[in-house]
């Protein structure tokens, strides 16, 4: 009979106790999700890879500071989010796609124009302010419960909902589901 | 906005569950009676569906290798410094070691860990640097003429090897093809194309050699080989080999 897989917390505590394989297993569980969040937040693959690496190394080193107040998954993703925000704010990366707002608002009626103004989902996400982008990616793309996303982002639940609402409204236009002049 | 014609922001708030129950009921009722509002709610639902359908991007193998190498270095550093991971040194982000532009097979890149752009911003905790320095001193690596290759023997080989993680002084054996050929020829027990975590010229029992620290795929465990500097596919000499960590 197989023993159940260790929980995230068990792996982290094993790592703290000196188990040399525990952290690798924990990292393997989450690096794909970390990568997805980093890439969709930062857009630049090299930046995203750096952020994930920074996160894994920081978590490896700071395992001793984990108190169990949040889940290990939340704790790991919070490190990543802080790294991403730090990059965006302090390295002044241009992560947004400049959008011709006036043209979008004008809402050209012909099909050709609508095809031109309809962005891919990833490009549309990149056009959102980073706070909205993070909330939408966590909740709508990665499926985090709003409450956990709020814990991760260290903001109230209502703030996450508000950021999602603003972000989805903007995306609905950018993705061509809605024309701004309709409202 | 009016109750009869809710605006986009209020409809988005309704969709996100932001409105209090009384207001939500009002807006929902107004939207149900207004074709434009219904279309907006449909558009928001379509947007959410499109977001949920986004595939998770695959992790590029070169990035996965870079992350593995960074964790290998951490494990090596922890093994050489103190048992177990360090406590949180504060709020300063960790120095993740070499990052962009660093070939995955050569984690040290053109400089040692701790000399990258990020390392200048976020220095390693001093305990790690002190432990590495102590290991170097014990191993006889730090002396008055740092240009000379350190003298090692089979007793201090493990300590020198740990300190060599991140070093990029493997000479011609930094070339992956040459290194693989050498290892195939003189150390068949080792994986010839294993990731090189560090290389350093050394003098082993009075004989010139190159110390290679190789990843094993198991966190914290490394293969160490000391070969002659001219080693290649045509052959060479294996001066020493061992496994460290675990």
């Amino acid at each position: 009979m197989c023993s159940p897989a260790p929980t995230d917390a068990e792996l982290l505590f094993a790592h703290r106790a000196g188990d040399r394989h525990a952290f690798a297993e924990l990292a393997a569980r989450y690096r794909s999700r970390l990568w997805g969040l980093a890439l969709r937040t930062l857009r630049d693959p090299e930046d995203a890879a750096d952020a994930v690496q920074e996160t894994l190394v920081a978590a490896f080193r700071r395992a001793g500071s984990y108190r169990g107040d949040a889940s290990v998954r939340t704790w790991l993703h919070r490190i990543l989010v802080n790294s991403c925000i730090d990059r965006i704010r302090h390295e002044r990366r241009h992560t947004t796609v400049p959008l011709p707002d006036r043209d979008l608002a004008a809402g050209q009626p012909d099909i050709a124009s609508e095809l031109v103004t309809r962005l891919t989902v990833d490009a549309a996400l990149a056009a959102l302010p980073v706070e909205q982008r993070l909330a939408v990616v966590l909740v709508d793309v990665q499926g985090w419960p709003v409450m956990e996303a709020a814990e991760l982002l260290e903001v109230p639940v209502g703030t996450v909902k508000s950021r999602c609402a603003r972000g989805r409204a903007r995306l609905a236009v950018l993705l061509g589901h809605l024309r701004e002049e309709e409202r | 906005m009016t109750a009869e014609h809710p605006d986009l922001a209020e409809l988005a708030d309704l969709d996100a569950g932001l409105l209090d129950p009384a207001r939500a009921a009002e807006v929902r009722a107004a939207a149900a009676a207004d074709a434009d509002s219904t279309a907006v709610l449909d558009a928001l639902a379509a947007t959410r569906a499109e977001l949920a359908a986004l595939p998770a991007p695959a992790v590029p193998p070169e990035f996965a290798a870079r992350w593995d190498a960074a964790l290998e270095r951490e494990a090596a550093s922890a093994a050489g410094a103190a048992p177990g991971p360090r406590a949180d040194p504060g709020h300063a982000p960790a120095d993740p070691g070499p990052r962009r532009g660093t070939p995955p097979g050569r984690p040290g890149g053109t400089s040692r860990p701790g000399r990258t752009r990020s390392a200048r911003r976020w220095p390693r905790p001093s305990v790690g640097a002190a432990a590495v320095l102590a290991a170097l001193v014990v191993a006889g690596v730090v002396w008055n003429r740092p240009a000379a290759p350190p003298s090692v023997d089979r007793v201090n080989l493990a300590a020198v090897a740990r300190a060599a993680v991140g070093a990029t002084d493997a000479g011609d054996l930094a070339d992956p093809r040459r290194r693989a050929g050498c290892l195939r020829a003189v150390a068949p027990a080792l994986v010839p194309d294993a990731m090189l975590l560090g290389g350093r010229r050394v003098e082993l029992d009075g004989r010139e050699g190159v110390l290679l620290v190789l990843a094993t795929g198991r966190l914290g465990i490394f293969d160490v080989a000391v070969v002659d500097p001219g080693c290649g596919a045509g052959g060479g000499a294996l001066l020493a080999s061992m496994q460290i960590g675990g």
Side-chain angles (χ1 to χ4, degrees):
Chain A
M1 189 181 104
C2 294
S3 57
T7 65
D8 295 344
E10 286 170 345
L11 286 175
L12 197 65
F13 289 130
H15 166 62
R16 280 161 61 161
D19 183 329
R20 299 194 176 281
H21 308 291
F23 193 85
E25 189 172 341
L26 184 64
R29 283 183 187 178
Y30 286 108
R31 67 182 185 185
S32 178
R33 288 174 69 90
L34 293 170
W35 167 247
L37 180 58
L39 187 62
R40 292 203 156 107
T41 303
L42 296 171
R43 292 276 285 165
D44 180 85
E46 286 287 350
D47 270 352
D50 284 354
V52 172
Q53 180 171 325
E54 201 168 81
T55 297
L56 294 175
V57 169
F60 185 103
R61 291 181 180 176
R62 290 153 56 181
S65 70
Y66 176 72
R67 297 281 174 263
D69 301 331
S71 68
V72 171
R73 156 177 117 135
T74 298
W75 177 72
L76 269 177
H77 283 77
R78 186 185 294 155
I79 297 173
L80 177 75
V81 163
N82 288 336
S83 172
C84 291
I85 290 175
D86 180 67
R87 279 163 198 285
I88 290 169
R89 289 186 177 163
H90 293 95
E91 297 184 14
R92 299 182 184 283
R93 294 274 174 204
H94 299 290
T95 57
T96 58
V97 175
L99 287 168
D101 284 343
R102 195 179 51 195
D103 289 348
L104 284 170
Q108 299 300 317
D110 60 287
I111 293 172
S113 293
E114 290 198 3
L115 287 175
V116 168
T117 54
R118 190 183 192 286
L119 300 179
T120 66
V121 181
D122 276 318
L125 276 169
L128 298 181
V130 64
E131 290 82 5
Q132 290 178 15
R133 193 183 327 148
L134 275 167
V136 168
V137 170
L138 286 169
V139 174
D140 289 339
V141 178
Q142 293 201 334
W144 286 69
V146 171
M147 195 172 290
E148 265 190 87
E151 190 180 18
L152 190 166
L153 297 170
E154 299 178 284
V155 297
V157 167
T159 303
V160 174
K161 288 182 178 178
S162 177
R163 290 175 181 175
C164 285
R166 301 284 86 73
R168 290 169 191 147
R170 181 75 177 135
L171 289 172
V173 174
L174 296 175
L175 294 174
H177 298 306
L178 203 60
R179 289 208 302 263
E180 273 187 342
E181 89 278 12
E182 285 177 0
R183 305 310 310 167
Chain B
M1 182 275 307
T2 66
E4 292 74 28
H5 299 287
D7 64 16
L8 174 57
E10 190 147 40
L11 289 167
D13 286 350
L14 173 70
D15 179 70
L18 257 178
L19 303 182
D20 64 69
R23 183 64 191 154
E26 284 177 21
V27 175
R28 195 174 292 112
D34 177 45
D36 283 350
S37 297
T38 303
V40 169
L41 290 175
D42 288 347
L44 292 170
T47 300
R48 287 213 274 186
E50 209 162 356
L51 289 165
L54 270 182
V59 177
E62 64 269 26
F63 293 151
R66 194 192 297 178
W67 303 337
D68 286 343
L71 290 177
E72 294 272 12
R73 284 192 298 275
E74 282 305 304
S77 174
R86 285 157 284 189
D88 188 351
H91 294 293
D95 161 24
R99 298 183 304 177
R100 69 176 58 212
T102 302
R106 299 179 58 191
T110 54
S111 62
R112 296 174 57 97
R115 302 296 295 173
T116 60
R117 172 173 62 93
S118 63
R120 287 194 295 274
R121 289 177 57 200
W122 303 311
R124 280 178 181 277
S126 59
V127 60
V132 170
L133 181 62
L136 289 166
V137 170
V138 168
V141 173
V142 174
W143 54 16
N144 290 334
R145 288 179 297 162
S151 176
V152 298
D153 56 35
R154 284 168 177 76
V155 176
N156 65 18
L157 180 58
V160 176
R162 285 197 178 94
V165 172
T168 56
D169 188 23
D172 292 341
L173 288 161
D175 173 20
R177 287 202 301 181
R178 175 164 190 149
R179 187 171 65 250
C182 163
L183 292 174
R184 267 192 208 96
V186 304
L190 302 182
V191 179
D193 56 356
M195 184 185 299
L196 180 66
L197 298 174
R200 179 185 289 280
R201 289 177 301 140
V202 294
E203 199 174 274
L204 179 68
D205 296 336
R207 192 169 169 188
E208 195 179 345
V210 176
L211 183 155
L212 303 170
V213 184
L214 304 160
T216 61
R218 288 173 295 161
L219 195 61
I221 300 175
F222 313 102
D223 284 326
V224 177
V226 181
V227 299
D228 74 277
C231 186
L238 179 67
L239 307 183
S241 71
M242 67 185 304
Q243 195 167 70
I244 61 174

